[in-house]
């Protein structure tokens, strides 16, 4: 499925993830969409179903496209801010990082009550790079609104995101609010979110932003403030250690979605993505711990997994997926 216009033709994130001390090998052009993923046998991952409380999860090999294990990969669930990965895949290639936007009242209209914000002010001047740091590090819905305004508006951006999802072969996603804010009918799946993250990591700018732990941001009254990424498994904060080899991607939370997370890491020549939606254990940092368990399991098994045929099932006993 062609979507070179949507992602950088410089596939991969070569040497741009300095904070992680690693780099991604190039992702083949035919490995960016859902059509290039292969599913894997379930037998060796039975214990994951017993140990993980998430409603849905998936772990996949970025470069080969193999789904190593999954539970309810196509269950349609509220995605929260992990949907910002699709927003970035759709909008990020359109504007130069150095372009400056003076924010109007219209740019910030329609922010949902209780939205996460980075603190963008009406009348303030921000580079596109500032706005993307606000999106990735603080999950700033105000930054998403400004970028969407630059892109032709909220409805236009939602429509383009939906088109992008379809081009990528992501059929479980319905976009209503580009920032991931809870909205009637807005859903995605562990499968689709993994597809979006994989497409994003093929873009050097996406890979850099999603791996950034800290960045300067224009402060009210002049000067700069320091942003810290809210992704605890990336930064190593709030009782979580930084996951070995972590390279992003995006965390989220809403009252409807619960905690959500897409995490990518690289070890020993393999880059894996683990997507976790709505853990039910009630444990502190549960979404990060379960993503870490998936990545640990994936790195132990990635070299030994073999693809099997598609069954078409989507339940706790079958890891149906086909990237």
């Amino acid at each position: 499925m062609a979507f070179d216009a949507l992602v950088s033709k410089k596939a991969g994130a070569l040497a741009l993830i300095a904070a992680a001390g690693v780099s991604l090998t190039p992702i083949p052009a035919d490995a960016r969409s859902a059509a290039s993923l292969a599913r894997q046998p379930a037998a060796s991952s039975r214990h994951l179903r017993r140990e993980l409380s998430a409603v849905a999860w998936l772990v996949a090999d970025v470069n080969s496209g193999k789904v190593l294990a999954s539970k309810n990969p196509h269950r349609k669930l509220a995605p929260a801010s992990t949907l910002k990965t699709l927003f970035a895949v759709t909008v990020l290639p359109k504007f130069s990082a150095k372009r400056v936007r003076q924010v109007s009242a219209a740019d910030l209209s329609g922010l949902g009550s209780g939205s996460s914000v980075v603190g963008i002010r009406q009348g303030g001047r921000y580079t596109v790079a500032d706005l993307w740091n606000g999106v990735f590090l603080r999950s700033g819905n105000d930054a998403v609104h400004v970028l969407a305004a630059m892109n032709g508006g909220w409805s236009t951006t939602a429509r383009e995101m939906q088109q992008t999802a379809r081009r990528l072969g992501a059929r479980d996603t319905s976009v209503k609010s580009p920032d991931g804010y809870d909205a009637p009918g807005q859903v995605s799946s562990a499968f689709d979110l993994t597809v979006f993250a994989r497409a994003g990591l093929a873009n050097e700018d996406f890979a850099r932003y999603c791996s950034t732990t800290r960045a300067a941001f224009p402060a009210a009254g002049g000067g700069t403030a320091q942003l810290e990424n809210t992704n605890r498994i990336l930064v190593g904060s709030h009782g979580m250690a930084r996951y070995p080899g972590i390279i992003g991607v995006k965390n989220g939370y809403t009252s409807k979605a619960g905690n959500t997370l897409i995490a990518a890491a690289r070890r020993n020549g393999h880059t894996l993505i683990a997507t976790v939606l709505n853990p039910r254990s009630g444990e502190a940092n549960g979404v990060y711990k379960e993503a870490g368990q998936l990545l640990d399991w994936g790195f132990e098994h990635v070299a030994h997994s073999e693809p099997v045929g598609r069954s078409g099932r989507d339940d706790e006993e079958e890891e149906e997926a086909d990237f």
Side-chain angles (χ1 to χ4, degrees):
M1 298 181 184
F3 59 98
D4 285 345
L6 300 173
V7 296
S8 169
K9 291 184 180 180
K10 298 179 180 179
L14 304 174
L16 286 178
I17 311 175
V22 297
S23 63
L24 291 176
T25 55
I27 299 171
D30 65 352
R32 298 173 184 166
S33 70
S36 65
L37 287 175
R39 55 177 305 282
Q40 299 299 307
S44 62
S45 62
R46 297 293 184 189
H47 72 282
L48 289 175
R49 303 185 195 284
R50 296 189 296 269
E51 294 180 359
L52 303 185
S53 70
V55 173
W57 49 260
L58 184 149
V59 58
D61 183 342
V62 169
N63 295 102
S64 72
K66 296 176 181 178
V67 175
L68 306 179
S70 65
K71 173 185 174 182
N72 297 329
H74 294 287
R75 177 78 63 85
K76 294 181 179 181
L77 299 166
S81 286
T82 53
L83 192 66
K84 289 181 171 77
T85 55
L86 176 59
F87 174 73
V89 168
T90 304
V91 176
L92 194 155
K94 295 187 176 187
F95 305 111
S96 165
K98 295 181 180 180
R99 180 169 169 177
V100 175
R101 176 77 167 187
Q102 184 165 10
V103 175
S104 69
D107 290 349
L108 296 174
S109 66
L111 273 173
S113 175
S115 285
S116 56
V117 295
V118 69
I120 290 173
R121 296 165 289 108
Q122 180 181 338
R125 293 172 61 83
Y126 302 87
T127 66
V128 166
D130 291 332
L131 296 172
W132 284 115
N133 280 329
V135 170
F136 278 97
L137 275 69
R138 284 292 178 87
S139 211
N141 289 359
D142 49 355
V144 174
H145 273 258
V146 175
L147 286 162
M150 294 173 64
N151 189 54
W154 201 242
S155 296
T156 295
T157 300
R159 183 169 59 252
E160 290 184 0
M161 289 170 64
Q162 193 70 67
Q163 292 168 351
T164 301
R166 294 299 178 262
R167 290 191 186 103
L168 294 175
R171 305 294 179 183
D172 306 322
T173 298
S174 180
V175 180
K176 305 299 181 182
S177 184
D179 53 8
Y181 189 82
D182 286 339
Q186 176 149 282
V187 292
S188 190
S189 67
F191 180 90
D192 284 10
L193 292 168
T194 304
V195 170
F196 304 150
R198 192 166 180 241
L201 289 172
N203 180 297
E204 294 176 350
D205 293 327
F206 181 109
R208 182 176 64 253
Y209 288 123
C210 83
S211 69
T212 299
T213 56
R214 296 172 181 83
F217 190 82
T224 59
Q226 188 78 2
L227 300 182
E228 181 174 274
N229 201 309
T230 59
N231 185 344
R232 298 177 183 183
I233 202 173
L234 174 67
V235 175
S237 65
H238 296 80
M240 288 300 300
R242 179 181 169 93
Y243 186 83
I246 190 73
I247 53 176
V249 177
K250 190 72 190 75
N251 57 316
Y253 173 81
T254 66
S255 57
K256 183 177 181 180
N259 287 292
T260 61
L261 177 66
I262 310 167
R266 180 170 173 79
R267 290 191 207 164
N268 302 321
H270 294 284
T271 303
L272 304 185
I273 296 173
T275 300
V276 178
L277 300 180
N278 197 5
R280 309 306 291 273
S281 68
E283 185 177 3
N285 292 318
V287 73
Y288 299 103
K289 293 175 181 177
E290 294 194 14
Q293 286 178 266
L294 282 174
L295 290 169
D296 286 345
W297 182 92
F299 285 120
E300 290 176 6
H301 293 83
V302 63
H304 309 294
S305 59
E306 294 295 336
V308 298
R310 182 185 175 109
S311 75
R313 295 177 58 192
D314 181 17
D315 57 34
E316 294 189 5
E317 298 304 320
E318 182 63 42
E319 297 159 26
E320 185 273 318
D322 211 12
F323 270 130

